[in-house]
Amino acid sequence: MKGSRFKLGNDTPCAYHCVSRIVGGERLLGVLEKEVLRKQIWQVAEFCGLEVLTYCILSNHFHVFVRVPEFREVSDEELMLRVRLLYGFGSDRSAFICSILERGGSRAQVLREQLLRRMGDVSAYMKELKQRFSIYYNRSNERFGTLWAERFRSLLVEDTAAARTMVAAYVDLNPVRAGICQDPKDYRFCGYAEAVGGSRLARRGLMLLHGRDSWEACAGEYRLTLFGVGYVPKRTGGPRVDRDEARRVVEAGGKLKSHELLRCRVRYFTDGAVLGSRAFVGKRIREYTAKTRIVRKSGPQNLRGAEASELRLFRNLQNQVIT
């Protein structure tokens, strides 16, 4: 069960929180590298037909929270547009691929099927993204070999506002937990800061969290998730949380408010395997049992230490919830 990756079919909308680390934990991502990776996160998502809800890039790893929408047919016109978005509108590679698709025939059909297999799937998205960035980084630094430490870690997230918003806030608060800033809007390489800066794509991603069509309404709600009710911005930044004290509270059976919990490194959001309602997680448990024939004695797990949360986990994370 430790290595299980949960993925739903393309007939069920869902979201995935994915994390990938640089080999050896080396801090190789400077400002330029982060900017290139930021652009590629959006670029590859457009090609794969996924929706980036938010992301965060740090010096030795990155987080990306993507939604896989319900499957729909992709026309030849849209397929060629996606190819041009990925490889560049004026590139020889785009022109070559599109010329084959335009001519039609058996060769075009084979190519079309190959391209479609790289779409609508979170594993294909992460593979494409990491490969493209590795090629860029190795060429730019006269380097060769593996750049990423291991296969990416992922959390399957139910496609509901409660689950999506909690995970997105955890992703955007990474620079706060790392001590880089007190407010994620001040960290250039996260989705929230990009949205506050006016990016249409980043705002669309956060609006999808709440199912809103207005950035102003979404921004206020999301701010409450990040900071809690009654927070007044100050120069000193947001509310501070002592990690050791938070750990003692949880280990003693106490509860933390969500904005306090989100300021700690919590294993729910990376190692929980599945996050969602009791019914959603329960269904994943039954599917897992049918597939592996491993019978679990316990059902969906509570978020230990979380105050008044209706969300549940697949994995039983009783030890070192806060790290």
Side-chain angles (χ1 to χ4, degrees):
M1 188 169 71
K2 183 178 179 181
S4 301
R5 189 192 302 289
F6 286 80
K7 288 169 56 181
L8 299 188
N10 58 12
D11 59 338
T12 305
C14 58
Y16 297 89
H17 171 211
C18 304
V19 185
S20 196
R21 300 185 180 278
I22 298 292
V23 66
E26 292 187 71
R27 299 181 180 276
L28 301 182
L29 305 181
V31 172
L32 176 59
E33 290 79 16
K34 290 176 184 177
E35 179 62 18
V36 171
L37 182 55
R38 181 193 69 81
K39 291 179 179 179
Q40 290 183 350
I41 283 172
W42 294 110
Q43 184 182 37
V44 177
E46 291 283 350
F47 170 76
C48 291
L50 306 190
E51 298 165 339
V52 177
L53 300 177
T54 195
Y55 68 90
C56 186
I57 306 170
L58 294 111
S59 59
N60 63 356
H61 71 285
F62 75 93
H63 300 249
V64 62
F65 187 30
V66 294
R67 180 176 181 268
V68 180
E70 188 172 355
F71 172 79
R72 62 178 179 80
E73 295 292 339
V74 179
S75 67
D76 285 343
E77 291 74 17
E78 182 177 351
L79 186 60
M80 287 187 282
L81 175 60
R82 292 191 188 187
V83 167
R84 293 183 177 108
L85 286 168
L86 184 66
Y87 297 116
F89 280 80
S91 73
D92 292 340
R93 188 167 188 180
S94 293
F96 177 71
I97 292 173
C98 291
S99 68
I100 294 175
L101 294 173
E102 287 171 341
R103 285 197 297 269
S106 59
R107 187 181 181 188
Q109 184 60 33
V110 170
L111 179 57
R112 177 183 172 83
E113 291 172 359
Q114 290 173 345
L115 290 168
L116 290 176
R117 281 197 293 269
R118 296 160 60 190
M119 300 179 185
D121 180 86
V122 69
S123 294
Y125 169 74
M126 288 297 289
K127 179 181 179 181
E128 187 82 36
L129 175 61
K130 291 169 67 175
Q131 282 183 346
R132 288 178 70 81
F133 184 78
S134 294
I135 292 170
Y136 155 77
Y137 186 87
N138 285 350
R139 283 178 178 173
S140 300
N141 293 274
E142 298 182 352
R143 180 186 182 278
F144 62 89
T146 301
L147 180 64
W148 303 105
E150 69 270 314
R151 74 172 189 162
F152 71 93
R153 298 158 73 183
S154 66
L155 174 78
L156 169 62
V157 181
E158 186 177 12
D159 194 34
T160 63
R164 291 190 304 252
T165 305
M166 179 72 81
V167 175
Y170 184 78
V171 171
D172 278 320
L173 284 166
N174 263 276
V176 176
R177 290 193 299 273
I180 298 171
C181 61
Q182 291 295 325
D183 189 324
K185 72 177 177 58
D186 299 322
Y187 183 68
R188 176 177 169 184
F189 300 104
C190 73
Y192 180 61
E194 189 172 346
V196 171
S199 165
R200 178 185 59 82
L201 286 174
R203 287 186 173 187
R204 184 186 69 180
L206 293 181
M207 285 159 59
L208 284 168
L209 297 177
H210 302 277
R212 296 281 193 176
D213 56 8
S214 163
W215 165 246
E216 288 71 22
C218 167
E221 286 189 45
Y222 195 54
R223 193 77 178 167
L224 288 176
T225 304
L226 292 171
F227 290 100
V229 176
Y231 167 66
V232 178
K234 299 178 180 178
R235 276 192 170 185
T236 53
R240 297 174 182 271
V241 175
D242 183 279
R243 187 180 63 181
D244 293 333
E245 178 61 26
R247 186 187 294 119
R248 285 192 290 270
V249 168
V250 173
E251 289 177 352
K255 304 290 184 181
L256 298 173
K257 294 180 180 179
S258 61
H259 70 272
E260 296 173 328
L261 191 70
L262 289 167
R263 277 171 171 68
C264 303
R265 289 188 177 91
V266 185
R267 292 177 58 218
Y268 303 150
F269 305 109
T270 53
D271 299 333
V274 181
L275 176 74
S277 65
R278 181 182 293 276
F280 181 81
V281 177
K283 186 174 182 180
R284 306 289 82 78
I285 291 174
R286 293 191 294 274
E287 291 169 348
Y288 177 81
T289 300
K291 180 179 178 180
T292 64
R293 302 195 180 279
I294 298 175
V295 179
R296 284 180 40 141
K297 296 180 181 179
S298 58
Q301 302 295 302
N302 293 330
L303 272 64
R304 184 170 168 234
E307 182 180 84
S309 176
E310 299 298 321
L311 298 176
R312 297 293 182 268
L313 294 169
F314 178 90
R315 291 204 176 107
N316 183 0
L317 300 177
Q318 293 299 317
N319 299 321
Q320 293 185 327
V321 170
I322 296 175
T323 60

